[in-house]
Amino acid sequence: MSAEFKGGIDIAIKVPSHQFQQTLDFYRNVLGLPEITDKPPATGFELGPNRLWIDEAPALSQAEVWLELFTPDFKQAEKHIADSGVVRCDAVEPLPEGFKGGWVMSPCNIVHMLREPEAW
């Protein structure tokens, strides 16, 4: 059986500190998107069927968009991406011990969290 992938519902924008508050204000006050408040300190907004998370990233000089992919079997997906030469980038952000997923990077340097739906 081959690995299976599908898009997740989470999109993250990693924002430099000097643009963080203005970015929150844009989504909160200018666009008026419904805010997600049940996962403090994370700040998110409802973006149609997706969740848009705005994360402060002091080490960045410009914003980055990160996407989420789901797989029913991370071990199988992990082997498939390794066999395909996909770059793992687990150092970009720590994940909890035992997390059923990891970070991968597309050829154009977009970070993706690849995980099982119930990874936590």
Side-chain angles (χ1 to χ4, degrees):
M1 173 184 234
S2 62
E4 182 183 325
F5 304 91
K6 66 180 182 173
I9 63 170
D10 289 326
I11 300 167
I13 300 178
K14 305 296 184 173
V15 180
S17 295
H18 69 279
Q19 297 172 323
F20 182 69
Q21 190 58 53
Q22 297 92 328
T23 301
L24 290 177
D25 291 344
F26 174 76
Y27 290 102
R28 181 183 291 135
N29 302 325
V30 176
L31 297 182
L33 294 179
E35 194 164 348
I36 301 168
T37 60
D38 64 343
K39 295 188 181 208
T43 303
F45 298 91
E46 293 177 21
L47 186 67
N50 296 97
R51 295 179 300 199
L52 177 64
W53 299 99
I54 312 298
D55 298 331
E56 187 172 8
L60 296 182
S61 64
Q62 63 185 27
E64 296 181 1
V65 174
W66 294 14
L67 302 174
E68 178 181 59
L69 295 170
F70 286 152
T71 181
D73 183 341
F74 179 70
K75 289 293 183 198
Q76 186 177 34
E78 183 177 39
K79 180 179 180 340
H80 176 78
I81 63 169
D83 292 348
S84 300
V86 173
V87 175
R88 289 290 298 267
C89 56
D90 291 317
V92 298
E93 186 173 291
L95 293 169
E97 186 70 32
F99 185 81
K100 295 178 184 173
W103 299 105
V104 299
M105 192 168 291
S106 74
C108 66
N109 296 320
I110 301 296
V111 176
H112 294 71
M113 174 185 277
L114 174 60
R115 69 178 184 92
E116 293 181 14
E118 302 300 323
W120 279 274

